[in-house]
Amino acid sequence: MNRHSRITGTGSSLPPRRLTNADMVELLAARGVETSDDWIVERTGIRARHFVADGVFSSDLATEAARRALEAAGTDPASIDLIIVATSTPDMVFPSTAAIVQHKLGMAGCPAFDVQAVCSGFVYALTVADAMIRSGSASKALVIGSEVFSRLLDFNDRTTCVLFGDGAGAVVLEASDTPGILATDLHADGRHVGILCVPGHVNGGQILGDPVLKMDGQAVFKLAVGVLEEAARTVLAKAGRTEADIDWLIPHQANIRIMQSTARKLKLPMDKVVVTVDQHGNTSAASIPLALDHAVRAGQVKSGDTLMLEGVGGGFTWGAVLVDF
Ligand code: ACO
């Protein structure tokens, strides 16, 4: 009998502080930086984002999202035997945010580690968890994406600071006789490190280099639309499925125009695309599980639906996971 993995519960967490585009206009104006609701909506589709309060970390959002996913799966933390957190905004340089989450959930003993693939982090983490479950080295995993990108933003740079938000999403992934995760496809191309990065690093008790997000938006845009189509087609081929089998496309929520372009290329109408970027902005590794949980709780995504999850981001990294939910 083949061993597979299956998502049995989803959860998410957003910090209470919500900033609309009007709030961003005000926040930037105080620094002499000009932006507008029209520009942000037209170029990105974003209308609002959430920012954490001082003293709140990725592990806090991740723990809340995980608790909700555990509750939805009807499982208790004691039965979890693997925790993977995808994040580019860990609480500390080390140890991993996953180890901190494990402790906050009142657990100890099971393996817990972070995956760093920026906005592709969740599809990377899900792929690793699926492989560990299929190989028999885990049976019930918490796979979490959690970010506090507000901490990486330069609020004097209007081309980036209006795009991002904070949040977390989580799934419980369990061993199953039937798939679940149908196919996965991951890639990275380090030639493009410079188009999306936070170049600062810690050295001798100081941060050297620039510890804020830098992005060549147009270069990211061009790369993203090409690789997302390719990854989607690859997982469909691996699973012996076609575009027509996709009930919901749940892409990384970076920019509505990238999402529209991907949907067009896959011949999917926008009403088959889960869109939360308008309300959450780009939450990097958190965006896919956050969107998935919102769609599940809104009654859009239902048991039995086929989902195409797609991530793309800094590295450059990208990937897709095809799921029977
Ligand atoms: N408000 C007002 N004006 C702005 C703002 C702003 N927030 N930001 C930039 N502008 C201005 C620029 O200064 C420029 O003005 P100029 O013509 O006088 O020089 C003008 O708008 C056009 O700027 P561009 O950078 O060329 O704008 P573009 O149409 O490329 O849109 C954007 C920028 C939205 C970042 C776009 O390139 C994009 O969507 N890129 C994809 C990248 C992305 O989504 N990244 C998210 C992270 S990566 C990931 O998650 C995959």
Side-chain angles (χ1 to χ4, degrees), residues 118-147:
V118 202
C119 305
S120 311
F122 185 75
V123 292
Y124 266 68
L126 200 54
T127 300
V128 172
D130 170 58
M132 288 182 71
I133 287 176
R134 281 190 294 104
S135 74
S137 48
S139 294
K140 202 186 271 192
L142 263 174
V143 187
I144 307 167
S146 188
E147 302 280 15

Side-chain angles (χ1 to χ4, degrees), residues 34-36 39-40 43-44 119 158-159 162-164 196 215 217-218 220-221 252 254-255 257-258 282 312-313:
E34 209 183 308
T35 189
S36 67
W39 191 95
I40 302 170
R43 305 284 175 128
T44 72
C119 305
R158 67 180 181 174
T159 66
V162 298
L163 305 177
F164 295 89
L196 182 52
M215 181 176 72
Q218 288 182 5
V220 169
F221 196 106
H252 170 48
N255 182 313
R257 292 186 304 157
I258 296 178
N282 180 348
V312 60

Side-chain angles (χ1 to χ4, degrees), residues 62-121:
T63 302
E64 190 169 53
R67 283 207 180 99
R68 289 179 180 154
L70 288 165
E71 195 182 294
T75 198
D76 67 299
S79 61
I80 293 294
D81 59 8
L82 171 68
I83 301 175
I84 308 180
V85 175
T87 186
S88 299
T89 47
D91 292 20
M92 302 181 190
V93 172
F94 71 78
S96 70
T97 301
I100 299 169
V101 169
Q102 184 196 52
H103 178 62
K104 286 184 175 172
L105 288 171
M107 305 159 57
C110 75
F113 58 91
D114 290 359
V115 162
Q116 218 287 36
V118 202
C119 305
S120 311

